Amino acid sequence: MATPSQLPTPSDSEAQIPLTPVQHQKQSTNARLVAEKEFLVHTLRQLNEEWMITATSDSEEQDDIYDGWRKYSKWIKQHDALKMRLEEVNSLLQDVEELFETSEYHHCTGYRGFSGWAKSAFDQYSPTCDSITTASAFGAGITYTTVFSASRGNIGLMCWAFALFDVGFIISLFVRSSLAWCSRVPPLKCGQQRSKISALFTQNNYKSFLCICDLVLLFVMFLAFATQAVAIFLLNVTLLQLSGSAASTELTMSPAPSAILSLGTGGLGMLASSVIFVLYWITRGSRNARKCNVMETEEVFL
């Protein structure tokens, strides 16, 4: 376990930079958590040593079994309480930097940075995306089979219905994956890059930016739902046309525009997803893909 003397110390250039109130709070909180972690580890070691001595003496004296179980139950309660708190402290040590770095935006917008907004939006729209994806896949499969095997009906309308089912599927899949990636983007650390971003996005500008993101996301989800509604409407129109049509298929419009719409939406979705994934990888970094684990191996077996 790393002691305070073993912790990395700031360089001379970093030490000359005055700390902000948020950085002071972050350092004091981190120091308090490290001290609490050291106390918990030391207490667990003592508790384990005392239990080993007690268990050895009890086995040699062959005390009453009930008394042994009573001592063991008491030790389990104390051990579990300390171990649970140690896991909570380790989790807080992993998140303390991110929480303080995003505290300014949290007070202004209620979200901990852009990743916090993306996580909230993902939790809100994920069930809707799943429903649209399921309905689109089922509708596209049935429509595609009907286009090539139908003996009656308007094939042109069926092609447009298939294309709209495709568009809804692509939009819902793109929204879900994009929000999942954006929710895992770490916040910018204090430095020159963060200062430039802060100068560009003030609190009011950042709040307006998130409001625009909410409106755009709401419009995109409405568009995905509208494609499903229009596709089902077109299929109902083909049913109405069956009453006055002959026992043969009809092709009143070219299926090429519907195919272009489907392929174009798929291409734009793949392009946008690739751009978001590249930005996600650059921001997160190949080496910082995971949070640093602050739990030592010894702590697992305490």
Side-chain angles (χ1 to χ4, degrees), residues 13-138:
S13 60
E14 292 177 347
Q16 296 175 359
I17 301 176
L19 297 178
T20 63
V22 174
Q23 290 175 324
H24 276 296
Q25 294 177 4
K26 180 177 67 175
Q27 286 190 355
S28 62
T29 302
N30 189 78
R32 178 178 59 82
L33 291 174
V34 170
E36 183 179 0
K37 177 181 177 179
E38 293 177 351
F39 171 77
L40 290 171
V41 171
H42 179 69
T43 305
L44 281 170
R45 288 173 182 167
Q46 286 186 337
L47 188 65
N48 290 336
E49 291 175 0
E50 292 177 0
W51 168 248
M52 290 298 297
I53 296 174
T54 303
T56 304
S57 61
D58 289 348
S59 61
E60 292 177 353
E61 297 175 1
Q62 295 182 352
D63 289 345
D64 185 17
I65 297 178
Y66 175 77
D67 186 61
W69 275 107
R70 182 178 57 81
K71 293 180 180 179
Y72 182 68
S73 300
K74 182 180 179 181
W75 177 83
I76 282 291
K77 292 179 180 179
Q78 295 175 345
H79 177 272
D80 288 351
L82 292 173
K83 193 65 179 293
M84 184 180 300
R85 179 55 186 170
L86 179 60
E87 293 176 355
E88 293 176 355
V89 170
N90 282 326
S91 178
L92 290 174
L93 282 172
Q94 288 180 333
D95 299 334
V96 63
E97 182 175 1
E98 179 178 348
L99 292 176
F100 275 101
E101 292 291 345
T102 57
S103 60
E104 180 181 356
Y105 298 109
H106 181 262
H107 293 316
C108 176
T109 63
Y111 303 108
R112 295 198 174 274
F114 183 74
S115 58
W117 171 86
K119 186 179 184 303
S120 176
F122 178 82
D123 295 337
Q124 180 179 358
Y125 290 104
S126 181
T128 305
C129 290
D130 292 340
S131 301
I132 293 177
T133 301
T134 304
S136 300
F138 180 77

Side-chain angles (χ1 to χ4, degrees), residues 6-284:
Q6 297 173 338
L7 294 175
T9 58
S11 61
D12 295 338
S13 60
E14 292 177 347
Q16 296 175 359
I17 301 176
L19 297 178
T20 63
V22 174
Q23 290 175 324
H24 276 296
Q25 294 177 4
K26 180 177 67 175
Q27 286 190 355
S28 62
T29 302
N30 189 78
R32 178 178 59 82
L33 291 174
V34 170
E36 183 179 0
K37 177 181 177 179
E38 293 177 351
F39 171 77
L40 290 171
V41 171
H42 179 69
T43 305
L44 281 170
R45 288 173 182 167
Q46 286 186 337
L47 188 65
N48 290 336
E49 291 175 0
E50 292 177 0
W51 168 248
M52 290 298 297
I53 296 174
T54 303
T56 304
S57 61
D58 289 348
S59 61
E60 292 177 353
E61 297 175 1
Q62 295 182 352
D63 289 345
D64 185 17
I65 297 178
Y66 175 77
D67 186 61
W69 275 107
R70 182 178 57 81
K71 293 180 180 179
Y72 182 68
S73 300
K74 182 180 179 181
W75 177 83
I76 282 291
K77 292 179 180 179
Q78 295 175 345
H79 177 272
D80 288 351
L82 292 173
K83 193 65 179 293
M84 184 180 300
R85 179 55 186 170
L86 179 60
E87 293 176 355
E88 293 176 355
V89 170
N90 282 326
S91 178
L92 290 174
L93 282 172
Q94 288 180 333
D95 299 334
V96 63
E97 182 175 1
E98 179 178 348
L99 292 176
F100 275 101
E101 292 291 345
T102 57
S103 60
E104 180 181 356
Y105 298 109
H106 181 262
H107 293 316
C108 176
T109 63
Y111 303 108
R112 295 198 174 274
F114 183 74
S115 58
W117 171 86
K119 186 179 184 303
S120 176
F122 178 82
D123 295 337
Q124 180 179 358
Y125 290 104
S126 181
T128 305
C129 290
D130 292 340
S131 301
I132 293 177
T133 301
T134 304
S136 300
F138 180 77
I142 295 299
T143 308
Y144 185 83
T145 304
T146 307
V147 167
F148 292 97
S149 62
S151 58
R152 298 176 60 189
N154 194 326
I155 302 299
L157 293 179
M158 295 181 188
C159 292
W160 275 102
F162 173 75
L164 291 175
F165 279 127
D166 278 353
V167 171
F169 178 83
I170 294 169
I171 291 177
S172 59
L173 193 62
F174 167 73
V175 169
R176 199 179 196 283
S177 58
S178 300
L179 291 177
W181 287 338
C182 293
S183 64
R184 294 175 175 85
V185 174
L188 294 176
K189 296 183 179 180
C190 293
Q192 185 177 6
Q193 185 179 10
R194 180 178 172 85
S195 300
K196 292 180 179 179
I197 298 298
S198 300
L200 180 62
F201 286 98
T202 61
Q203 290 188 1
N204 293 332
N205 292 340
Y206 192 76
K207 190 173 183 180
S208 301
F209 172 73
L210 292 184
C211 291
I212 294 174
C213 291
D214 282 329
L215 293 176
V216 172
L217 184 58
L218 184 62
F219 173 76
V220 171
M221 293 304 302
F222 172 78
L223 184 63
F225 177 80
T227 56
Q228 308 306 295
V230 175
I232 295 174
F233 174 77
L234 293 179
L235 292 179
N236 289 328
V237 171
T238 60
L239 295 178
L240 292 175
Q241 292 179 350
L242 289 177
S243 59
S245 63
S248 62
T249 57
E250 299 179 1
L251 188 62
T252 57
M253 61 185 70
S254 174
S258 62
I260 293 174
L261 173 64
S262 180
L263 294 174
T265 305
L268 290 176
M270 292 182 62
L271 179 61
S273 299
S274 301
V275 172
I276 292 176
F277 179 76
V278 171
L279 293 176
Y280 162 79
W281 186 83
I282 293 175
T283 306
R284 196 172 179 87

